[in-house]
Amino acid sequence: MRRPAILALAAVLAAGAATVHLASSASAAAACYPAWSSSAVYVGGGQASYQGVNYQAKWWTQNENPATHSGQWDVWANQGACGGSTPPTTPPPTTPPPTTPPPTTTPPSTPPPTTTPPPTTPPPTGNGQLPKHFLTGYWQNFDNPAREIRLRDVPATYDLIAVAFADATNTPGTVSFSIDPGLSASLGGYTDADFRNDVATLHSRGKKVIISVGGERGTISVASSSAATNFANSIVGLIASYGFDGVDIDLENGVNATYMGQALRDIRNRTNPNLIITMAPQTIDMQSTGSQYFQLALSIKDILTVVHTQYYNSGAMLGCDNNAAYAQGTVNFLVALACIQLENGLRPDQVSLGLPAAPSAAGGGYVNPSVVNQALDCLAKGINCGSVKPPRTYPGIRGAMTWSVNWDVTNGNGFANTVRPHLNTLP
């Protein structure tokens, strides 16, 4: 979160284009895959047939009709017609069993209910009763030039507060948390007991508090099954001890999608279905679905609350049109970069814009908070865009995040006071 690193465009190109390429079509004479079911869960590589066409899933999906959710930017890849001289895996439409989809002669006026919005997958289970559009801010558990504040003094404009950060231990995957001695001294004495009481105070105000793991200097590694178990055990323990509502993954030195996904599912299974799970990748980490961070997001899409990408400290980056590099610190940058996630598998309610609260909060990429509102309008309503316009609107886009609450307070609360009221104007 605090690193002023500028990434060269060459690194972006090396990371791969944002576009998800379709798999090549299957032969017209190929046998049909098992019939698509609206209630079934398909993961990346999953296969299904629908109305005489084979499809393959690119990422986790449920209740997304292949006929209406296939294409360059959608979840299903069209593999071509099936049947031909090879008998399909389901009986012909004259004697369909109850489990098969309607025959291909079904009129378009009676599509299965799965083609009806809300648009894609079931609503998130890990939203933790957060507002439809909400503001996230990081609270600093350390002493730096930003103003130190107790947790209970976080302004009421913030809906979700991420406590930065849990610390690595000598045991792989295990993390710990306690109030930083330097912060405590700056505040004239602030204890773990005070902090626990403050978490309860924020809960009484209807706020949510999560523990963030990582940051610029974080050295936490979850790269094995045993480390995943250690990570889950320690996070479950912190939730029980401090009353956290969830966990934020802000690992700026790399993430292993397989084992972190294992750990996050374990944590959720052992806590509650409303566990808040957020991620704060750097911009380059969400440039391509081939990156580990993007793979992690897609693999836990069914339990993921939101990804608030850090749209700063990045330099110029390619957008979802893959035609030009956009300079950070502009509305075009925010729209073009957010579009990558929105068009490559995440639901709009799982996408949030992360920006610095003040010029001093990051090495580059600061924008006036009004530009954040402009980008949200462009993405949600198709208005107030710059020269970049997304291929469609995303009314459900979740909101915004800032690094940090402390820097915002230092800067006169300009970010929260500008962006939070505007979130109420989104659809």
Side-chain angles (χ1 to χ4, degrees):
M1 275 293 181
R2 291 163 279 163
R3 178 171 55 199
I6 305 298
L7 299 173
L9 177 59
V12 177
L13 297 174
T19 305
V20 175
H21 299 287
L22 298 182
S24 58
S25 297
S27 167
C32 288
Y33 298 147
W36 173 76
S37 168
S38 63
S39 61
V41 171
Y42 299 88
V43 296
Q47 297 175 330
S49 65
Y50 182 73
Q51 295 188 344
V53 178
N54 278 333
Y55 297 90
Q56 181 167 303
K58 302 174 192 173
W59 51 76
W60 188 97
T61 178
Q62 184 184 40
N63 199 28
E64 294 180 279
N65 190 316
T68 56
H69 287 284
S70 59
Q72 184 175 14
W73 301 111
D74 227 320
V75 61
W76 290 103
N78 185 320
Q79 302 288 287
C82 65
S85 59
T86 305
T89 57
T90 54
T94 54
T95 57
T99 57
T100 56
T104 57
T105 55
T106 302
S109 59
T110 58
T114 55
T115 59
T116 305
T120 56
T121 53
T125 54
N127 60 15
Q129 301 176 3
L130 288 163
K132 181 178 180 181
H133 306 290
F134 66 86
L135 179 63
T136 302
Y138 283 80
W139 176 82
Q140 298 178 183
N141 180 39
F142 50 85
D143 188 3
N144 75 351
R147 184 180 304 174
E148 301 85 359
I149 59 172
R150 292 170 173 79
L151 187 69
R152 63 177 177 267
D153 294 326
V154 170
T157 38
Y158 289 94
D159 304 293
L160 176 64
I161 298 92
V163 172
F165 298 97
D167 299 312
T169 69
N170 292 327
T171 304
T174 301
V175 297
S176 65
F177 175 81
S178 61
I179 291 298
D180 178 75
L183 174 66
S184 178
S186 295
L187 293 173
Y190 190 52
T191 66
D192 274 15
D194 294 330
F195 178 84
R196 287 183 174 88
N197 289 335
D198 286 358
V199 172
T201 296
L202 290 184
H203 284 163
S204 72
R205 298 171 184 169
K207 309 300 179 180
K208 301 297 179 181
V209 184
I210 59 177
I211 180 66
S212 182
V213 178
E216 177 208 356
R217 301 176 185 175
T219 58
I220 296 132
S221 176
V222 179
S224 67
S225 184
S226 60
T229 298
N230 292 340
F231 183 82
N233 288 342
S234 56
I235 293 295
V236 169
L238 293 179
I239 289 172
S241 177
Y242 290 94
F244 294 124
D245 299 292
V247 60
D248 172 65
I249 306 303
D250 180 16
L251 297 177
E252 299 184 17
N253 298 303
V255 64
N256 183 300
T258 299
Y259 295 114
M260 182 56 76
Q262 173 188 322
L264 292 173
R265 290 191 180 277
D266 187 10
I267 294 165
R268 182 178 179 274
N269 289 340
R270 293 163 60 187
T271 51
N272 68 80
N274 286 324
L275 182 77
I276 297 171
I277 299 176
T278 70
M279 294 166 52
Q282 298 175 103
T283 312
I284 195 165
D285 293 324
M286 300 301 286
Q287 279 279 287
S288 165
T289 55
S291 73
Q292 286 289 297
Y293 242 117
F294 215 138
Q295 288 180 24
L296 174 61
L298 293 175
S299 71
I300 62 164
K301 180 178 174 180
D302 55 317
I303 62 172
L304 175 66
T305 306
V306 73
V307 176
H308 33 236
T309 303
Q310 302 176 42
Y311 290 122
Y312 51 95
N313 287 348
S314 62
M317 286 282 182
L318 293 173
C320 66
D321 54 11
N322 210 26
N323 291 326
Y326 297 98
Q328 66 178 352
T330 64
V331 65
N332 282 346
F333 181 89
L334 298 179
V335 171
L337 272 293
C339 174
I340 294 176
Q341 297 171 47
L342 292 162
E343 291 292 328
N344 283 276
L346 292 183
R347 298 188 308 265
D349 64 87
Q350 293 175 316
V351 176
S352 184
L353 309 182
L355 280 308
S360 301
Y366 172 78
V367 298
N368 188 286
S370 63
V371 177
V372 181
N373 291 346
Q374 186 180 349
L376 290 169
D377 280 346
C378 181
L379 291 163
K381 299 184 282 188
I383 63 173
N384 295 330
C385 300
S387 60
V388 175
K389 295 186 178 179
R392 58 187 57 82
T393 58
Y394 315 95
I397 190 165
R398 206 62 194 269
M401 171 275 282
T402 194
W403 178 264
S404 62
V405 173
N406 301 71
W407 280 111
D408 195 23
V409 170
T410 304
N411 204 38
N413 298 308
F415 191 96
N417 288 346
T418 301
V419 175
R420 185 60 190 89
H422 191 76
L423 294 177
N424 296 333
T425 71
L426 300 183

